[in-house]
Amino acid sequence: AASRVRNDAREDGETMASMDRHTKCFFKKTRKGQIKKVVKEHYVRDDIACEPDGGWGEGCCIVIDTNVALHQMDFLDVAATDGVLRNMIVLQTVLEEVKHRNLSVYKRLKTMVQTGGRNVFVFANEHHADTHSNALPGESPNDRNDRCIRVAAAWFERQLQGEHTVELVTNDRECRSRALEQGLKCHTVYEWAKINLPPKYLENIAQTGEGEGAPGVDGATDGKEGFCYPAHLSAEQIQEGVRAGRLVVGTLHMARDNATEGWVVPQADLAGAKGAASKDQDTGSGSRDVLVSGRMSLNRATELDKIVVEVLPQSQWRAPKLTIADDIDDEEKEGKDAASKPPPVVDPKDLRKTGKVVGIMRRSWRPYCGSIETQQNGRDKHVLFVPVSKQFPKIRIFTRQAAELANKRILVSIDSWDETSKFPTGHYVRTLGDIGNIECESQVILIEHDVCVREFAPAVYRCLPKVGPNGEWDVPEEEAAKRVDLRGEEYRVCSIDPPGCKDIDDALHVRPLPPGPDGRQRVEVGVHIADVTHFVNADSAIDVEGKFRGTSVYLVQKRIDMLPKLLTTDLCSLRGNVDRLSFSCVWILDTQTAEILDVKFHKSVIRSVSAMSYAAAQTIIDDKNDETPLATDLRLMLSITKKLRTKRTERGALSLASPEVRFELDRETHDPINVSMYEHKETNGMVEEMMLLANMSVATKIHQHFPNCAMLRRHPAPPPANFEPLRKVVEALGFELDSVSNKSLALSLDKIVLPGNDMANKLIRIMATRSMCQASYFGSGDTSAAGDFSHYGLAAPIYTHFTSPIRRYADVVVHRLLSASIGLTELPESLRDAAGCKDVADHLNHRHRMAQFAGRASTDLHSHVFFKDRVAEEEAYVMRVRKNGVVVIIPRLGLESPVIFEASKGYQLDKDTMGLTSTSAPAIRVLDRVQVRIQVQTSVSHRSNLKLTLLEVFGGVYSSATSTGAGKSAGKGKRASDGGEDEENAAKKMKSSQAK
């Protein structure tokens, strides 16, 4: 390397810079357990630039240390974005230490460096001859890094003498003391900001307790003298307790509507403990989970913290709360510790293993969206912030602009939570917008669900192909020559999607074939998927970004793309009458039985003859006078897919259902002006069946070639206990439920038919859907999979996702695996490692869940906006019962919401009959038909929710229920469930709502 540098310098006619080489040798253990010797050469030189391109801006230059970067990123980010923080020097030492200690902060710091222009300058101090320092004998890595930072600050002060002052900004007392002894100008973050920045930026400074002069929370009280949480155990005590079996390590999952009750999932279950733990339908907890109830028992733990729990004696076990939370404005009322009063008398069989938090191993704090609680004293600068999520406690912050923030959604971060503080302490980050504004509230949804909304970086856009001035792009002739050409007249390729869909990633074709040698009638059917990997090369900037985002996210009124729009809505979108690149699965089937006679995979070029909506395709099929070739093709494909569906049903595939909401939006304001149920047509099922066939065929192919690193999707069989609520309901109706296997369950559901009550029949299918486990991605080499690759809902022995690479990164991975398995490309090195495949699968599962939750939250938001200024009365059906109310579904609107009863009603919960009884009000049971009034209520904490009032109970289906033998299938439920969500049409439903 040194020789190459010297040669380059001679060729440029420059004077060779002096260069020294340092060698470092160490040993490391690989993932496979091998010991390898690593030799690293470290070069230092004296010609490294010491100022940004364009020179320094006005004002002093500041050097930050590692702790400032780690703990004050909100302050640095906001100040740099607003342009008030200039000439910030980020040393290589700081970057490397931040990367080692907190990868998420490192990514934020790198983004700030890339977008900060000349305001943020990275200096490679470890490679400059005057600033590089080796560790001294006996010096710790932390002390060595602090010394390097002071050396670099002193060097900059000498270099910029007379031009700019240089100041070291650190909250570390020892580092600051040594810097002052060396004659360096040094301040804490708060001191420096108070001198150099407008006062409002002081509120962005995290209260870590390290800096001097920070506002802190002195003088702020929690309203309770002498309040104190129990102290956490030391690391040594925790290790000893875990070894002895007295303590349990796990992840805390808070109740969705209660910040004072949660469940601890033991670490063994997270690692893939053998045997599926049953899930409680009411709480979502597993049979091995530990209940933690009450503020004191939680002991400052929050959602997703990795914690240590001491399991209490059985005499202190509790039953989970089976009440519907109305609101948590009065956190004092809701958060009263259960230990302060005797536990209520409960049925012993309802008691759950209960514990208390004795240690927190890793925090999962993040920025939180919410609003400021209404103040009684308008002059108080210490205010309580109320998160929009009811899973989190209030946060105490210091702000001078409480009046201005009163009706705003803001972002707040937690800094610390002391034993003597009832609430955690945090700091204001930024304002998001006005409360109630759809765009602001949508932004809140995206932030709360960890959806990446940042602009694509320039490096990502540089990966895109060149297009003409008006976006023109043609398939290169040399690329087309490598592919199978399906643009001929004999291939009437078409696509069928929701109306207005722009990211069309799948197309279909069908054509009759001459009889085979055995005389069997044959038909060729093909599924053609956008060839995204042609444009997204493995490990490129665009690939890294797509992997990080994981999936496109569909809100009611907008879509957040996984890839840039040039690909998602243009070059990869299989639009009508344009040439596009695709990856094709083509089968030869027996026309009479739909038996697969042959299947092949290849890259292709297609030209879709029509991009239709589901409704348009259905109209063509239903028009008996339409004898065009396209109409004939569609009818043939529908016939074939019905046979494919029948074959899957015979194998045990389930026909399930879930409520689906569709909004009609105002074209200008994007406010909802109508809400209704999503209507399924035969063409929905036709397209879905073809996508399922492609996914199953591809899964088989890639697993044959890559048995240890294939990206697959698994849907485990639910534990028997999951079906208990449904079993109680159907037995009360006079039916039996056999859930031994998916096939027996499907047969049972087909027999449960209530004549003349289609809605009750569909509700039973919905309840069955909610008994399912969640489907997930996994690598075939994952040892926790234990060889069980099956998909319970689809009755498929093996399954994957191949058909939506525009919006799902898992499909991109599968495309690369399939391409390598048919010999077109080499499999990227990053996909050959089983452990790496597992990491990608875990990441994609997280992104997939968050996207689902964000979509549901967007539906809730638009429901609230729709009913904000109106009151409606609707017919509803009871889906679940609770101690203080019921959860109902409103069929006409597709909405589901709780109805909370007044205590005066005197209702008593009977879990055996799934009903509520009262001496002063009509009894209510699951599936009962009721009348409700719908309106929106907004709490003083600015949380809005649908308020449903029970007007009348019409009774239900129990008195008239009769067993009808085998019967026929109930209604037109969804077939092929993904743990309650259709494998291929879930996102397309959101597309439909968004397009409308």
Side-chain angles (χ1 to χ4, degrees):
S3 174
R4 184 168 62 251
V5 170
R6 293 189 186 95
N7 289 338
D8 291 345
R10 291 192 189 98
E11 290 172 6
D12 294 340
E14 297 176 357
T15 303
M16 176 59 201
S18 63
M19 176 180 293
D20 293 322
R21 182 180 68 182
H22 302 265
T23 301
K24 186 185 296 184
C25 178
F26 60 92
F27 295 88
K28 78 171 187 177
K29 188 176 182 180
T30 66
R31 284 187 173 183
K32 295 182 179 179
Q34 298 176 337
I35 304 298
K36 286 190 174 182
K37 181 179 180 180
V38 179
V39 178
K40 287 189 175 181
E41 293 184 344
H42 186 93
Y43 291 90
V44 296
R45 49 195 296 169
D46 60 3
D47 63 341
I48 296 175
C50 62
E51 67 176 18
D53 294 338
W56 299 105
E58 296 181 0
C60 67
C61 297
I62 66 167
V63 178
I64 63 170
D65 74 348
T66 304
N67 285 329
V68 170
L70 284 171
H71 303 301
Q72 302 294 344
M73 269 306 301
D74 289 329
F75 164 73
L76 298 175
D77 203 359
V78 171
T81 300
D82 291 353
V84 296
L85 179 62
R86 305 184 186 92
N87 302 339
M88 182 173 74
I89 301 171
V90 180
L91 301 174
Q92 179 187 355
T93 301
V94 172
L95 270 177
E96 291 177 352
E97 190 174 2
V98 169
K99 183 178 182 179
H100 176 71
R101 292 172 59 180
N102 192 318
L103 192 58
S104 63
V105 173
Y106 171 76
K107 290 177 179 177
R108 288 186 65 187
L109 185 58
K110 287 283 288 184
T111 300
M112 188 174 71
V113 168
Q114 292 168 357
T115 60
R118 67 176 188 170
N119 289 333
V120 184
F121 174 60
V122 175
F123 178 63
N125 64 301
E126 297 287 359
H127 291 280
H128 197 288
D130 295 335
T131 56
H132 171 74
S133 296
N134 290 318
L136 300 176
E139 188 177 39
S140 69
N142 185 64
D143 289 342
R144 182 262 174 190
N145 289 343
D146 286 347
R147 182 168 56 82
C148 286
I149 293 169
R150 293 193 298 272
V151 168
W155 182 81
F156 269 104
E157 187 176 47
R158 294 193 300 272
Q159 294 294 312
L160 302 178
Q161 190 172 12
E163 300 178 14
H164 297 272
T165 58
V166 177
E167 300 180 9
L168 175 62
V169 178
T170 176
N171 284 341
D172 186 288
R173 288 186 175 88
E174 183 177 354
C175 183
R176 191 163 66 252
S177 175
R178 296 197 176 197
L180 293 173
E181 289 175 2
Q182 294 176 222
L184 294 173
K185 293 184 178 180
C186 190
H187 296 289
T188 65
V189 176
Y190 183 82
E191 291 170 346
W192 185 88
K194 190 174 183 179
I195 296 170
N196 295 279
L197 301 183
K200 69 175 184 177
Y201 292 100
L202 300 178
E203 298 177 14
N204 300 117
I205 298 175
Q207 309 302 315
T208 61
E210 296 176 339
E212 298 176 1
V217 290
D218 295 337
T221 64
D222 288 325
K224 189 172 181 180
E225 294 295 332
F227 184 90
C228 187
Y229 287 103
H232 291 151
L233 299 182
S234 67
E236 292 78 10
Q237 290 172 314
I238 289 174
Q239 290 178 357
E240 180 183 350
V242 171
R243 280 197 299 266
R246 298 192 308 272
L247 304 180
V248 176
V249 178
T251 300
L252 178 64
H253 295 268
M254 300 299 298
R256 290 192 67 81
D257 57 2
N258 190 346
T260 62
E261 182 171 280
W263 296 87
V264 180
V265 180
Q267 197 166 19
D269 284 6
L270 293 173
K274 293 184 178 179
S278 60
K279 290 288 183 180
D280 188 290
Q281 290 269 306
D282 295 319
T283 65
S285 60
S287 57
R288 292 190 283 259
D289 297 351
V290 180
L291 171 66
V292 182
S293 182
R295 192 193 304 277
M296 299 301 287
S297 293
L298 283 166
N299 197 6
R300 294 166 284 158
T302 57
E303 169 77 355
L304 297 182
D305 283 351
K306 185 178 180 181
I307 62 175
V308 183
V309 174
E310 178 184 345
V311 178
L312 299 173
Q314 193 165 350
S315 60
Q316 299 180 38
W317 287 10
R318 299 180 177 276
K321 299 173 185 175
L322 292 180
T323 57
I324 303 171
D326 189 2
D327 190 63
I328 64 166
D329 282 337
D330 187 2
E331 193 161 327
E332 292 296 322
K333 175 183 175 182
E334 182 139 338
K336 282 184 179 178
D337 187 43
S340 64
K341 58 181 180 180
V345 178
V346 296
D347 191 327
K349 67 182 181 182
D350 292 332
L351 292 176
R352 298 293 299 274
K353 186 188 298 183
T354 307
K356 63 179 181 180
V357 177
V358 296
I360 300 176
M361 301 182 70
R362 184 180 66 243
R363 288 290 193 183
S364 292
W365 289 339
R366 59 171 176 80
Y368 303 97
C369 301
S371 56
I372 290 178
E373 188 174 69
T374 303
Q375 293 178 272
Q376 294 181 347
N377 179 5
R379 295 191 299 272
D380 191 359
K381 294 182 177 61
H382 296 95
V383 298
L384 284 177
F385 164 86
V386 183
V388 293
S389 172
K390 298 179 182 180
Q391 294 178 300
F392 296 95
K394 298 175 183 178
I395 303 170
R396 186 171 295 282
I397 66 171
F398 174 87
T399 179
R400 294 180 175 86
Q401 46 182 340
E404 292 83 354
L405 299 177
N407 295 306
K408 303 288 186 182
R409 289 288 184 216
I410 64 174
L411 202 62
V412 162
S413 288
I414 296 178
D415 300 326
S416 61
W417 198 345
D418 298 330
E419 293 178 13
T420 56
S421 176
K422 185 179 299 183
F423 304 113
T425 300
H427 65 272
Y428 163 83
V429 178
R430 60 187 172 95
T431 300
L432 300 174
D434 295 330
I435 292 173
N437 176 271
I438 284 187
E439 285 305 313
C440 171
E441 299 294 354
S442 295
Q443 186 181 3
V444 167
I445 289 171
L446 296 173
I447 294 173
E448 285 292 300
H449 293 93
D450 192 26
V451 176
C452 179
V453 294
R454 69 189 180 207
E455 289 292 326
F456 290 103
V460 172
Y461 285 114
R462 286 195 292 269
C463 296
L464 299 175
K466 304 296 183 184
V467 296
N470 296 317
E472 306 93 348
W473 181 84
D474 295 318
V475 174
E477 292 184 5
E478 62 275 13
E479 182 62 34
K482 303 175 187 176
R483 297 171 176 254
V484 176
D485 195 334
L486 301 179
R487 293 173 290 184
E489 293 183 0
E490 67 273 24
Y491 296 101
R492 284 178 291 277
V493 177
C494 64
S495 63
I496 307 174
D497 288 278
C501 178
K502 295 182 178 179
D503 49 341
I504 304 172
D505 40 23
D506 55 82
L508 310 166
H509 92 267
V510 61
R511 61 171 185 156
L513 296 177
D518 55 0
R520 299 168 75 174
Q521 296 295 320
R522 303 181 305 160
V523 62
E524 179 184 276
V525 293
V527 168
H528 314 283
I529 306 301
D531 189 6
V532 173
T533 55
H534 174 78
F535 301 97
V536 180
N537 294 323
D539 301 321
S540 63
I542 194 171
D543 182 55
V544 171
E545 182 70 15
K547 181 194 297 184
F548 176 74
R549 297 184 180 225
T551 180
S552 294
V553 179
Y554 293 86
L555 304 187
V556 170
Q557 86 287 15
K558 65 164 61 173
R559 179 185 70 245
I560 295 85
D561 289 315
M562 181 182 78
L563 298 170
K565 280 187 170 55
L566 179 63
L567 295 184
T568 59
T569 62
D570 191 354
L571 304 190
C572 290
S573 184
L574 306 182
R575 298 180 297 155
N577 300 311
V578 293
D579 292 349
R580 287 293 179 258
L581 303 177
S582 64
F583 209 152
S584 300
C585 302
V586 181
W587 300 265
I588 297 177
L589 305 179
D590 184 302
T591 307
Q592 301 302 318
T593 65
E595 178 188 350
I596 299 175
L597 305 177
D598 187 29
V599 59
K600 54 187 176 183
F601 311 93
H602 52 70
K603 295 287 184 85
S604 57
V605 184
I606 65 169
R607 186 179 183 88
S608 174
V609 300
S610 180
M612 296 172 283
S613 67
Y614 289 119
Q618 191 68 54
T619 299
I620 294 174
I621 291 173
D622 294 340
D623 184 359
K624 293 183 170 42
N625 295 321
D626 190 343
E627 297 295 337
T628 60
L630 181 59
T632 303
D633 286 353
L634 292 176
R635 294 188 188 107
L636 177 58
M637 183 171 292
L638 181 60
S639 172
I640 292 295
T641 56
K642 285 181 177 180
K643 293 170 184 175
L644 289 170
R645 178 165 297 197
T646 299
K647 288 164 67 83
R648 285 197 308 105
T649 303
E650 291 171 352
R651 295 198 304 267
L654 300 175
S655 179
L656 302 175
S658 65
E660 303 154 16
V661 186
R662 186 184 185 201
F663 289 93
E664 184 176 351
L665 304 181
D666 184 281
R667 292 183 179 276
E668 295 182 0
T669 65
H670 299 295
D671 288 343
I673 57 178
N674 192 26
V675 58
S676 61
M677 286 279 281
Y678 184 88
E679 181 183 359
H680 274 271
K681 301 182 181 297
E682 282 188 317
T683 47
N684 290 76
M686 180 180 77
V687 173
E688 177 190 350
E689 203 64 35
M690 294 304 302
M691 299 303 110
L692 296 179
L693 182 62
N695 287 334
M696 289 185 284
S697 298
V698 170
T700 302
K701 183 70 174 178
I702 63 175
H703 183 248
Q704 287 173 348
H705 284 264
F706 302 106
N708 294 320
C709 58
M711 177 71 72
L712 303 175
R713 188 160 177 82
R714 174 178 51 202
H715 184 208
N722 284 23
F723 292 105
E724 283 309 306
L726 176 61
R727 192 184 310 278
K728 292 175 181 177
V729 171
V730 300
E731 288 177 354
L733 293 171
F735 298 96
E736 292 184 359
L737 186 73
D738 184 354
S739 58
V740 173
S741 66
N742 51 1
K743 187 169 184 177
S744 64
L745 177 62
L747 292 173
S748 292
L749 292 174
D750 285 344
K751 294 176 182 178
I752 302 171
V753 178
L754 303 175
N757 199 333
D758 289 343
M759 192 61 217
N761 294 332
K762 184 171 183 179
L763 293 180
I764 291 172
R765 300 275 171 169
I766 293 175
M767 292 184 67
T769 300
R770 293 175 181 176
S771 302
M772 299 294 124
C773 297
Q774 182 69 39
S776 60
Y777 298 111
F778 71 103
S780 56
D782 185 354
T783 55
S784 66
D788 181 14
F789 296 174
S790 64
H791 196 292
Y792 180 84
L794 299 174
I798 191 168
Y799 191 75
T800 193
H801 272 168
F802 165 77
T803 53
S804 296
I806 289 178
R807 59 180 175 87
R808 290 189 307 228
Y809 188 79
D811 302 54
V812 174
V813 173
V814 170
H815 274 231
R816 292 185 178 132
L817 288 163
L818 182 60
S819 180
S821 68
I822 61 177
L824 294 181
T825 57
E826 289 290 329
L827 187 65
E829 191 66 32
S830 57
L831 297 181
R832 296 177 182 269
D833 179 31
C837 186
K838 181 182 184 303
D839 292 340
V840 173
D842 291 343
H843 170 72
L844 295 180
N845 286 327
H846 167 73
R847 290 298 192 192
H848 184 73
R849 284 193 300 270
M850 291 298 102
Q852 286 185 319
F853 292 151
R856 294 169 192 170
S858 182
T859 297
D860 291 342
L861 167 64
H862 283 75
S863 301
H864 298 170
V865 174
F866 178 74
F867 286 104
K868 183 178 180 180
D869 298 318
R870 68 186 79 188
V871 177
E873 293 185 5
E874 293 285 347
E875 183 182 86
Y877 289 80
V878 177
M879 285 294 296
R880 296 194 298 279
V881 291
R882 294 290 184 269
K883 291 180 179 179
N884 64 335
V886 296
V887 178
V888 301
I889 185 171
I890 305 166
R892 191 182 74 82
L893 306 176
L895 298 176
E896 190 171 346
S897 188
V899 181
I900 301 174
F901 298 152
E902 297 175 359
S904 59
K905 296 283 187 183
Y907 276 110
Q908 297 293 320
L909 174 64
D910 186 340
K911 293 186 69 175
D912 290 331
T913 63
M914 300 295 289
L916 294 168
T917 58
S918 172
T919 57
S920 60
I924 303 175
R925 297 177 73 177
V926 172
L927 300 185
D928 275 356
R929 185 168 63 93
V930 298
Q931 188 80 4
V932 296
R933 178 185 296 117
I934 310 170
Q935 58 193 116
V936 171
Q937 71 172 6
T938 303
S939 69
V940 295
S941 296
H942 305 294
R943 290 188 179 121
S944 68
N945 59 278
L946 290 181
K947 180 181 180 181
L948 272 61
T949 305
L950 183 67
L951 301 178
E952 188 173 357
V953 179
F954 299 115
V957 296
Y958 297 92
S959 59
S960 59
T962 57
S963 179
T964 60
K968 57 184 178 180
S969 180
K972 291 185 180 179
K974 270 191 329 191
R975 198 173 295 272
S977 165
D978 181 17
E981 194 61 66
D982 188 301
E983 281 282 7
E984 286 307 318
N985 281 337
K988 289 189 176 183
K989 288 184 297 186
M990 291 304 299
K991 291 182 185 180
S992 177
S993 178
Q994 174 198 18
K996 183 64 175 175

